[in-house]
Amino acid sequence: MAQHSETDSNIEMWTMKKLIKTLSTVKGDGTSLISLVVNPRDKIPRVTKMLGEEYQNASKIKKRMNRQSVQAAITYAQSRLKLYKNVPSNGLVLFTGTGVTEDGEEKKFVHDLYGYIIIDGNGTLIGTLCGSSREVVLKFSVDLPKKHGRGGQSALRFSRLRVEKRHNYLREAAELATKCFIDPATSQPNVTGLILAGSAEFKTELSQSGMFDPRLRAKILKVLDISYGGVSGFNQAIELSSDVIANVNVLKEKRVIGKFFEEIGQDTGKFVVGVDDTVKALEMGAIHTLIVWEDLDINRYELKHIVTNGIVIKHLNKRQEADPSNFKDSAAAADLKVEGKMGLLEWLVDHYKQFGCLLEIVTEKSQEGSQFCKGFGGIGGILRYQLDNGSFGEGSGDGEAAANDSE
């Protein structure tokens, strides 16, 4: 147990060093980058208030480009800070904004935050999407009177009551949208864009209503017709809004894994699953897209044969690490000495470019991602061309066992 804790700590340290190395090569264009250091004893509301004041001060910058870059970086910091209720015990450091790497490529250090309003005759859901993370901020139901054929003197009264309740419902939805998506410190939207969706005309009425905050109306990217309300409607709206937020990770993840499943379903042979088969296909240059679960719990060992001094590479999960036979050459009755140990995902992140492939790191937050991680072991690839079984040789099944046993 202590050994595993030490391994986890080493991987975290390696990941942190890699991040720091990346950040050290990035330079801001003017004042487009912000470094925010929060003391463990500090309070999130105080920091949020301070950022609001900085946003107001930035509005006095005369040059438009500089002013916009500073305000954009502050807005990114504010949206990221909303993910924390309290300052972590070891403090908090935020690097936000848009920087330029050594090769001249622009790089954003936070995912854009998108807001969703799902509204129909049964209720309203307000949610957000940031990277691969979706969150339901709030939802409430409503009981609106239906149209009916009652006549006489009551007809006008019933019609008036119905219109009044619809009006009050839209007003409540508009007020809650303002509360969720307008930052009180800056009086500006805290989302990059807004999606309105629903199965009835409420979404259109809300977007055109004078009760809907004009600052949010300017952020509307799309108004969608969907078949459901509530959480199901939220998920459908994310799917249908892919054309306007195509860079959001969860949508990219769905497309990549969908292509992988398509190759399997059509039995094209242009796919590979399991650790050893995937690594062998990678070394052959046959993989076009390498897909790996972000929490893949498999380590890459470099083992030295104490007799021949040869190097053996093994990929082991925790159960296999506990088996002494994996560190012995049974045929020669010799031990294999550990020369190096590293998380397989970390190794792939460092070396995938050498094999000319794309690397997609996926989560299990989507239905497709969950199926890939739990059903296929969390590692596989889409091939450039079909490989026959002989390309992998004997013993390739060990890699699949490693992947599947890692759940």
Side-chain angles (χ1 to χ4, degrees):
M1 183 67 71
Q3 183 179 0
H4 292 322
S5 299
E6 183 179 357
T7 300
D8 293 340
S9 177
N10 290 338
I11 291 175
E12 288 181 9
M13 182 66 71
W14 180 88
T15 304
M16 183 62 68
K17 287 180 179 179
K18 182 177 179 65
L19 175 60
I20 293 173
K21 184 178 179 181
T22 301
L23 290 172
S24 67
T25 65
V26 176
K27 296 181 179 180
D29 184 8
T31 51
S32 59
L33 281 176
I34 285 181
S35 299
L36 178 65
V37 181
V38 184
N39 189 288
R41 295 182 295 275
D42 212 335
K43 303 294 183 182
I44 294 294
R46 191 204 69 81
V47 180
T48 301
K49 180 180 178 182
M50 181 267 291
L51 287 175
E53 294 171 351
E54 291 295 332
Y55 188 95
Q56 293 296 336
N57 292 335
S59 64
K60 301 175 183 178
I61 299 175
K62 294 182 179 180
K63 289 188 177 181
R64 184 177 61 86
M65 292 297 294
N66 287 348
R67 181 174 66 252
Q68 289 179 343
S69 64
V70 172
Q71 289 182 328
I74 293 174
T75 302
Y76 285 140
Q78 290 171 327
S79 64
R80 179 61 67 179
L81 204 61
K82 287 181 178 293
L83 301 177
Y84 297 88
K85 293 182 179 180
N86 299 299
V87 180
S89 58
N90 58 343
L92 179 65
V93 179
L94 293 179
F95 298 97
T96 66
T98 303
V100 181
T101 59
E102 289 182 332
D103 56 4
E105 179 184 358
E106 281 197 354
K107 183 178 181 65
K108 284 187 178 181
F109 290 96
V110 294
H111 295 296
D112 291 338
L113 183 69
Y114 294 89
Y116 283 79
I117 301 176
I118 314 300
I119 182 170
D120 59 18
N122 296 314
T124 295
L125 178 146
I126 294 179
T128 59
L129 179 69
C130 183
S132 296
S133 300
R134 64 189 74 184
E135 178 185 0
V136 176
V137 179
L138 64 84
K139 58 181 178 178
F140 67 94
S141 57
V142 66
D143 184 16
L144 296 176
K146 310 295 182 182
K147 289 183 178 179
H148 52 74
R150 297 180 186 177
Q153 296 179 349
S154 299
L156 289 176
R157 182 169 63 86
F158 283 127
S159 177
R160 185 175 65 252
L161 289 174
R162 179 175 179 272
V163 171
E164 183 180 345
K165 286 196 174 183
R166 286 171 64 93
H167 176 82
N168 291 338
Y169 173 45
L170 287 174
R171 182 177 61 188
E172 183 178 5
E175 290 174 351
L176 289 173
T178 300
K179 182 179 179 180
C180 292
F181 297 135
I182 295 294
D183 191 331
T186 64
S187 298
Q188 295 297 319
N190 56 22
V191 291
T192 302
L194 201 58
I195 307 294
L196 270 63
S199 57
E201 69 275 13
F202 283 102
K203 58 187 180 296
T204 304
E205 291 183 22
L206 179 64
S207 65
Q208 298 174 353
S209 169
M211 298 178 290
F212 194 63
D213 196 306
R215 294 168 294 181
L216 293 181
R217 185 180 295 112
K219 288 289 185 178
I220 294 178
L221 301 176
K222 200 164 189 178
V223 179
L224 297 170
D225 286 309
I226 55 177
S227 304
Y228 314 99
V231 176
S232 297
F234 183 26
N235 293 333
Q236 187 181 15
I238 291 176
E239 290 272 0
L240 295 177
S241 59
S242 61
D243 57 331
V244 292
I245 51 174
N247 61 328
V248 178
N249 289 349
V250 68
L251 299 170
K252 184 178 181 182
E253 177 178 301
K254 283 174 171 285
R255 288 197 298 271
V256 170
I257 300 178
K259 174 63 176 174
F260 176 78
F261 288 157
E262 183 180 325
E263 297 290 346
I264 294 177
Q266 296 178 359
D267 197 20
T268 61
K270 294 171 63 177
F271 63 89
V272 63
V273 178
V275 179
D276 285 355
D277 283 359
T278 300
V279 171
K280 288 177 182 177
L282 186 68
E283 293 171 344
M284 294 166 63
I287 291 185
H288 176 272
T289 305
L290 177 63
I291 308 173
V292 187
W293 180 25
E294 67 175 0
D295 292 326
L296 186 70
D297 194 14
I298 295 176
N299 288 314
R300 181 182 185 273
Y301 281 85
E302 291 186 10
L303 304 174
K304 183 177 181 180
H305 198 291
I306 63 172
V307 176
T308 65
N309 290 329
I311 297 296
V312 178
I313 303 297
K314 287 193 176 187
H315 306 106
L316 306 176
N317 58 32
K318 288 185 177 181
R319 181 184 61 80
Q320 293 168 322
E321 287 176 339
D323 185 357
S325 65
N326 285 312
F327 299 91
K328 293 181 181 294
D329 180 0
S330 56
D335 290 334
L336 300 175
K337 181 182 178 181
V338 177
E339 291 289 309
K341 176 185 176 182
M342 186 179 192
L344 179 58
L345 175 55
E346 283 73 24
W347 185 87
L348 291 172
V349 168
D350 276 353
H351 295 85
Y352 76 96
K353 290 183 179 179
Q354 299 175 9
F355 304 103
C357 70
L358 302 175
L359 174 61
E360 298 291 347
I361 300 176
V362 300
T363 70
E364 57 177 346
K365 295 177 181 177
S366 67
Q367 181 178 350
E368 293 83 356
S370 178
Q371 185 178 353
F372 175 79
C373 298
K374 296 179 180 179
F376 292 86
I379 184 168
I382 300 173
L383 303 179
R384 292 189 170 90
Y385 48 83
Q386 185 175 355
L387 295 175
D388 56 53
N389 293 332
S391 301
F392 300 109
E394 298 180 358
S396 62
D398 293 342
E400 294 188 21
N404 292 330
D405 287 341
S406 67
E407 298 179 24

